[in-house]
Structure formats: C-alpha cells, structure tokens
Amino acid sequence: MKKIRIFFFCLLFVFISSLVHAKVNVSGFVILNNGDTLKGKITIRVYIDIPILTDLFHEVTFLQDNKKKIRYYPKDLKGFGLEVDSVYLYFVSKKVSKRLLPYGETEIFLRIVEKGYLSLFEFQTDDDKTLGRFYIEYLIQKEEEDLFFLDSGYIWENMIKYLEKFFGDETELFQRMKNARKLYSKIPQFTKEYNQKKRDKNNTK
C-alpha cells in the first residue's frame, strides 16, 4: 500500500510539473549566416503563464512549415526574432568576454534592447534556486567599439566609473544616473534617453 501511495504522488508531481513548466511554439524567424531569412515557429519554455527565454541565449529550436525541427547555435545564425505576448524580441549572435561565461561559450545570442549611438544587449540566466526566476546582465557597445560587459556584481563606484565612459559626455543625464536608485535596472531607460539626445542634437545641426 505504501509503494502504491509513493507511486501515485510521483505521478501527480510529474503531471503538475508538466502543467507548470511547458513548451510552446511562437511565431518567429531566423537569419542564416548567408543572409537568408526563414519564417516559422520558435520553441520557448513557459512557467505557468510566464515566458522563460533563458534557453534562447544558447540555442534556438526552429520549426518550418513541414514541422521539421532544426536546432541552431550562435555560430549558425546572424540572429533571430520572435513574438511573445504581442511583443517582438530580436536576438543577435555575438562573441562575448569569458567574464560573462567563464566556463561556457564565447559566442552566444544576445537580446537587442536598444540600438543607436549606444547599443544595449541583454543576457539572461536561470536562478537555480527559484523556478521561473532569472537574472539579467547587460552588455553595452558604443558605435563600432568592442562590446563591454556591465557586470551587475560591480560595486557602485566601479559601475559609475565604467558607465561614465559611455554616458559621461551627456553631463545632465549622467548626473541623474549617479543619483538613481536601483541604477542597474534603469540602464535601458538611460540608454534610450542618451540615444534620443544624440539624435536631437544631430537634427538641429
């Protein structure tokens, strides 16, 4: 009787897990290294009703009309895009510093957060302790310069020092950055504002 009870609870756990952590296919496309664009479906994980995108930074499973699954890695694509909850997300293949992935790849997919005079990219990793939770790291690039990893673990003084290299020429904006609470989470907002300021200045010339 005890064995039957244990078996029942194991089946129940597997059933609940399958409902909580499922995979769905969403509309998307991939851009091959030769420039060709293929439209189809991209597989993502869903935790309850929350899309989990962390897998997509390492590989992407793509389905064409014939339902044939193809698994692509960063070396195989220039990038890809997908639609999640009526929002379009775009990813690009990039080589990154081993400080971001010290034991893993040096080429990964990064989500494009902002493009312009400053380009901002996002990388996500799962929280091993909490299902459905993830961490975000940002990487920033100034025009044609190298990609720079803004480590969320930097102490405040170091974070400000590195951010000054990218935002320091906009004095008023940079001062607000230094005074901002939870600065790391606001980097996308400040990057977008920085790019707008640069566009406005160019338009008035």
Side-chain angles (χ1 to χ4, degrees), residues 83-98:
E83 183 182 1
V84 179
D85 294 336
S86 300
V87 176
Y88 287 90
L89 306 176
Y90 301 97
F91 293 72
V92 64
S93 177
K94 288 278 189 180
K95 289 188 177 180
V96 298
S97 162
K98 288 203 171 185

Side-chain angles (χ1 to χ4, degrees), residues 170 172-173 193-201:
E170 290 292 340
E172 184 272 336
L173 182 145
E193 187 177 343
Y194 178 93
N195 285 338
Q196 187 60 54
K197 284 179 177 291
K198 292 299 182 185
R199 285 192 291 268
D200 291 344
K201 287 181 179 179

Side-chain angles (χ1 to χ4, degrees), residues 57-175:
F57 294 87
H58 306 280
E59 62 184 57
V60 56
T61 300
F62 181 72
L63 293 83
Q64 291 183 287
D65 293 335
N66 59 9
K67 303 299 182 184
K68 179 183 177 182
K69 288 186 178 181
I70 306 173
R71 185 169 293 175
Y72 289 112
Y73 297 94
K75 63 181 178 61
D76 303 320
L77 300 175
K78 286 187 176 181
F80 66 92
L82 66 156
E83 183 182 1
V84 179
D85 294 336
S86 300
V87 176
Y88 287 90
L89 306 176
Y90 301 97
F91 293 72
V92 64
S93 177
K94 288 278 189 180
K95 289 188 177 180
V96 298
S97 162
K98 288 203 171 185
R99 288 187 61 254
L100 178 64
L101 297 168
Y103 306 110
E105 314 98 311
T106 56
E107 190 170 359
I108 58 174
F109 292 120
L110 297 174
R111 186 175 80 82
I112 300 171
V113 178
E114 175 74 14
K115 290 285 283 183
Y117 298 89
L118 290 181
S119 293
L120 189 69
F121 304 91
E122 176 187 287
F123 177 76
Q124 295 181 8
T125 53
D126 283 312
D127 181 350
D128 295 333
K129 297 179 181 177
T130 307
L131 285 174
R133 183 178 173 183
F134 56 88
Y135 297 107
I136 292 177
E137 298 285 357
Y138 291 118
L139 298 93
I140 196 167
Q141 189 172 31
K142 196 165 192 174
E143 295 179 321
E144 297 304 315
E145 295 181 8
D146 291 339
L147 198 63
F148 185 83
F149 172 35
L150 291 170
D151 192 335
S152 61
Y154 284 141
I155 60 172
W156 187 86
E157 290 82 359
N158 286 345
M159 180 64 74
I160 290 298
K161 179 179 70 174
Y162 292 124
L163 288 174
E164 186 174 13
K165 295 179 181 179
F166 297 94
F167 297 90
D169 58 330
E170 290 292 340
T171 309
E172 184 272 336
L173 182 145
F174 183 61
Q175 186 59 47

